[in-house]
Amino acid sequence: MCGLAGFLDTREIAGEPLIAPMLEALTHRGPDDAGVFRDAGLVLGHRRLSVLDLSPEGHQPMVSACGRYVMAFNGEVYNHAALREALDAEGPTSWRGHSDTEVMLAAVARWGLEAALGRFVGMFAFALWDRQARRLSLARDRLGEKPLYYGWQDGVFLFASELKALRAHPAWRGGVAPGALALFMRHGFVPAPLSIHPGIYKLPPGTWLTLDEGTSPGALPAPSPYWSLSSVIEAGRAAPFAGSEQEAIDALERHLGEAVALQRVADVPLGAFLSGGIDSSVVVALMQSQARALGQEPVRTYTIGFHEKAYDEAGHAEAVARHLGTRHTALYVSPEDAQAVIPRLPWLYDEPFADVSQIPTYLVCALARREVTVALSGDGGDELFGGYERYRLAGAPGALVEQVPASLRRLFGRTLSAVPLAAWDALFARLPARLRVKRAGDRVHKLAQLLAEADFDAVYRGAMSHWSGPEALVRGLDSGEPLTVLSGAGGLPPSLSRLQRMMARDTLMYLPDDILVKVDRAAMAVSLETRVPLLDHRLVEFAWSLPEHYRRRDGQGKWLLRQVLWRQVPRALIERPKMGFGVPIGEWLRGPLRDWAEDLLDPARLAREGYLAPEPVRRAWAEHVSGARNRAYPLWNVLMFQSWLAAVENRSGG
């Protein structure tokens, strides 16, 4: 896991002094080594976190054995040993070390870039310079685990792992893109290909982009896909899994076991996050089983605990760890510990980002980094196997939307909204424990709002929205809110079920732009590499070949994943209501964070900055502090933008 940065400037100005501050901004991603390559107007830099081949032979940027290609690479290609064997079988190959970067360069030289991309199994973002063709190529892994930003600024083509490196170049002009800001206010993150800055983009997952040295400044070729989820879904439908349930369980265990085995390979200490939930528990169970079979020491596992019982999963994680026999570390943190992270969030996430679980994610990464350099996580299980609670919308609510006329649905919604929030809360509090719902009144009123939507896809977009009408909040939105996969862009195969559409859209947007951003930035801030076995693309392809009832059954997600886990862990240790991984932001905003928030939400400040209309912000703030409504999520979006804006303006003047 590393960081890369570079630029292409045909004016051939002195490049190496300009790359130095860009690389300095990425030191956290690669504290072990740094390197620079220059070829006329191309300057390519790299910061290295040594994980494979700790020797100088792993230094980057790396030149291919043939001398034609130069690569700066962030990530891991897990099947590099098999690729090395395949290359050797085809003909003589000269090897210097045993890094995956060297294998990638040899693969590109032998098979070409697009064919090589199709054979890489892993997570990666890289820049490749073809010295012969004078061509720069950028590429990103299939699911979007590793980040890569790019764009033109003042006649210079910039690219880097994080925005802070781009801002360190003197050509940087910055600014805030109103469309990206509107999407951030809606979702709490900026979806690819946009970034918060105009003219700067995220390379979409599963694509590569090529830029010739002579490309006119400002011209951007469209990224080309080498893998697409739509194609995977179509292939799964054309050749569905036809085995029995037992055969499906065996196949999933085999696929996941192979992914875990590949991702356990490292030349540095390795561990895993363990929340005690389905996904992390099955990953850790397979890791521990493999370690035991090989006579290795127990897996090191980590969890963060909170004293607020409603947010604490540490006890569940410790029970699973005891059963599996891992070497477990749990750290209980106070509200003050968690709140101390908040001032660092603008630097950590580098563009506005408002998933409140960003705080405990950073804390558990910092905990793990005390002992290990690599940690495996269980991310991806919800999107692949239908685990999110919101997928319940695909059942009766979805049928209601599709079968009942909108006029009747709106009438029913108005009836639900007429009952005060407190009354709904009190009603649900009287129900049996298994039927109780946190913030019941807010959820019922949200459902009432969703029932007014035109169709089910609009309902799901509304369910994924913190501010449902950002056009009333964001100033300067002249061309309207940009399209996303939730609002019509990035077409999916026809005739997908409601559940399949939800899972596919989450895999295309929520997973790479929220979940994986959260983990990558939090981990890299402490120089920790994270790996995600459930996102091995071959496992993703297998999951999309499964019948829907193997993924979600009787209103419960992850049916097949659970069956694999029950072979390793008693279900009594796991079966419980899903808690999520968050902190009590709503309560904190009414208490210890109130003064901090009040300063950022000051109406005169909002008016002066000119990005957000003060009126809807202040209305939401008044509702929240009075206790009339829980407006924590939309307010957290505003607060994360405001704090990011202040940090950027203090660093660079915007």
Side-chain angles (χ1 to χ4, degrees):
M1 194 79 69
C2 305
L4 65 94
F7 57 90
L8 186 62
D9 187 346
T10 56
R11 295 170 295 187
E12 299 189 22
I13 57 177
E16 293 192 32
L18 300 183
I19 197 73
M22 298 178 74
L23 293 180
E24 180 66 24
L26 297 176
T27 301
H28 56 288
R29 294 190 77 92
D32 299 328
D33 189 22
V36 175
F37 171 85
R38 184 180 180 193
D39 187 1
L42 183 279
V43 182
L44 184 58
H46 186 263
R47 292 289 325 193
R48 183 185 183 197
L49 175 65
S50 300
V51 172
L52 290 175
D53 192 351
L54 309 186
S55 75
E57 298 301 334
H59 177 78
Q60 296 186 49
M62 186 180 291
V63 182
S64 63
C66 65
R68 177 174 177 176
Y69 299 100
V70 186
M71 177 181 286
F73 164 52
N74 168 32
E76 302 287 346
V77 168
Y78 305 121
N79 66 331
H80 65 95
L83 292 175
R84 185 180 292 242
E85 291 180 5
L87 289 162
D88 285 338
E90 290 186 7
T93 308
S94 175
W95 302 109
R96 293 162 288 179
H98 67 272
S99 72
D100 50 352
T101 313
E102 187 178 1
V103 174
M104 295 169 72
L105 281 163
V108 171
R110 180 73 58 82
W111 301 321
L113 177 55
E114 187 168 13
L117 283 167
R119 299 177 73 156
F120 294 159
V121 176
M123 55 177 185
F124 51 83
F126 63 80
L128 180 79
W129 177 243
D130 184 336
R131 301 167 80 177
Q132 178 179 309
R134 317 297 298 168
R135 180 176 298 134
L136 174 68
S137 297
L138 306 178
R140 193 175 178 204
D141 65 70
R142 296 169 179 84
L143 278 302
E145 293 184 56
K146 294 293 99 193
L148 192 53
Y149 292 86
Y150 67 94
W152 289 94
Q153 293 279 288
D154 198 25
V156 181
F157 182 76
L158 304 173
F159 56 92
S161 298
E162 295 185 17
L163 286 170
K164 57 176 65 72
L166 302 186
R167 296 190 193 107
H169 192 282
W172 180 256
R173 295 295 175 264
V176 173
L181 179 56
L183 290 176
F184 169 72
M185 288 299 162
R186 179 179 288 279
H187 298 298
F189 56 86
V190 180
L194 299 177
S195 84
I196 192 63
H197 298 297
I200 301 296
Y201 301 94
K202 303 179 182 90
L203 188 65
T207 69
W208 58 303
L209 176 149
T210 297
L211 197 75
D212 292 322
E213 187 178 41
T215 300
S216 299
L220 276 179
S224 301
Y226 65 88
W227 186 91
S228 77
L229 184 64
S230 291
S231 297
V232 166
I233 295 171
E234 291 281 26
R237 297 170 72 183
F241 182 84
S244 66
E245 289 184 354
Q246 190 63 45
E247 289 169 330
I249 298 167
D250 292 341
L252 176 57
E253 185 172 33
R254 183 176 63 255
H255 279 296
L256 187 51
E258 290 172 355
V260 167
L262 278 179
Q263 297 190 26
R264 289 181 65 246
V265 176
D267 295 333
V268 293
L270 175 143
F273 303 136
L274 179 61
S275 70
I278 301 291
D279 306 334
S280 65
S281 295
V282 75
V283 168
V284 169
L286 292 172
M287 290 177 70
Q288 181 73 342
S289 176
Q290 293 174 9
R292 189 180 296 115
L294 295 170
Q296 298 171 342
E297 67 176 22
V299 174
R300 306 180 201 195
T301 54
Y302 304 91
T303 190
I304 288 291
F306 292 94
H307 298 292
E308 294 95 333
K309 185 171 291 188
Y311 296 88
D312 181 48
E313 290 189 311
H316 303 297
E318 291 184 57
V320 174
R322 279 195 302 272
H323 175 81
L324 294 174
T326 70
R327 187 175 133 190
H328 189 64
T329 301
L331 176 66
Y332 280 80
V333 297
S334 68
E336 291 75 22
D337 295 327
Q339 292 160 22
V341 177
I342 293 174
R344 298 198 68 204
L345 294 177
W347 178 85
L348 288 174
Y349 289 94
D350 218 19
E351 69 177 336
F353 186 75
D355 184 328
V356 295
S357 61
Q358 62 201 134
I359 298 172
T361 299
Y362 171 77
L363 292 169
V364 77
C365 288
L367 173 65
R369 189 62 178 93
R370 296 178 185 179
E371 296 183 330
V372 302
T373 308
V374 177
L376 273 62
S377 85
D379 292 308
D382 288 301
E383 290 82 1
L384 289 184
F385 294 97
Y388 288 123
E389 285 298 306
R390 60 179 177 265
Y391 291 162
R392 293 181 183 276
L393 287 171
L400 177 70
V401 169
E402 292 186 348
Q403 296 171 14
V404 175
S407 58
L408 292 179
R409 286 190 276 113
R410 284 192 290 271
L411 177 61
F412 181 49
R414 285 195 294 271
T415 302
L416 294 176
S417 298
V419 179
L421 296 172
W424 284 117
D425 290 339
L427 175 62
F428 274 82
R430 297 192 187 98
L431 296 176
R434 62 186 178 84
L435 298 178
R436 292 174 193 164
V437 177
K438 287 191 285 187
R439 305 193 329 271
D442 275 308
R443 293 181 180 226
V444 171
H445 280 217
K446 176 78 169 181
L447 175 62
Q449 181 182 354
L450 295 179
L451 289 174
E453 299 286 358
D455 55 33
F456 181 75
D457 290 340
V459 166
Y460 193 56
R461 183 187 184 217
M464 296 294 288
S465 299
H466 296 170
W467 290 91
S468 58
E471 66 281 354
L473 177 68
V474 176
R475 291 177 165 176
L477 197 61
D478 299 330
S479 56
E481 188 180 339
L483 292 177
T484 69
V485 296
L486 286 179
S487 57
L492 295 172
S495 304
L496 293 183
S497 70
R498 293 188 293 268
L499 176 61
Q500 289 169 336
R501 298 202 302 275
M502 294 161 78
M503 291 192 298
R505 287 177 170 134
D506 281 349
T507 303
L508 288 169
M509 192 172 90
Y510 182 69
L511 176 67
D513 295 324
D514 186 307
I515 301 300
L516 296 177
V517 166
K518 175 179 62 181
V519 175
D520 174 81
R521 305 305 192 278
M524 282 283 85
V526 295
S527 304
L528 177 75
E529 173 172 307
T530 49
R531 300 177 178 179
V532 191
L534 282 161
L535 295 186
D536 183 306
H537 73 275
R538 299 164 301 179
L539 195 152
V540 173
E541 291 165 0
F542 168 72
W544 277 100
S545 75
L546 293 169
E548 187 171 301
H549 67 280
Y550 281 16
R551 302 163 86 177
R552 190 171 178 90
R553 182 177 296 188
D554 299 327
Q556 186 179 62
K558 306 180 189 178
W559 181 85
L560 196 64
L561 203 57
R562 291 170 190 268
Q563 311 316 304
V564 173
L565 181 58
W566 302 155
R567 293 177 171 182
Q568 305 277 347
V569 177
R571 68 173 64 197
L573 291 181
I574 302 292
E575 291 284 21
R576 63 182 188 277
K578 188 177 179 70
M579 297 177 67
F581 191 44
V583 290
I585 287 293
E587 291 89 334
W588 290 357
L589 289 177
R590 295 189 185 102
L593 296 182
R594 182 166 179 170
D595 290 343
W596 168 78
E598 187 67 65
D599 179 59
L600 290 171
L601 302 180
D602 177 72
R605 177 175 183 163
L606 293 169
R608 181 176 66 254
E609 292 164 343
Y611 294 109
L612 301 175
E615 295 79 9
V617 174
R618 297 302 301 182
R619 186 163 52 249
W621 178 238
E623 290 175 341
H624 187 80
V625 295
S626 70
R629 294 192 64 183
N630 185 344
R631 302 285 280 164
Y633 288 154
L635 286 169
W636 193 246
N637 288 17
V638 175
L639 290 164
M640 286 296 95
F641 172 70
Q642 289 293 102
S643 57
W644 170 85
L645 183 65
V648 170
E649 288 180 339
N650 288 338
R651 282 197 305 264
S652 61

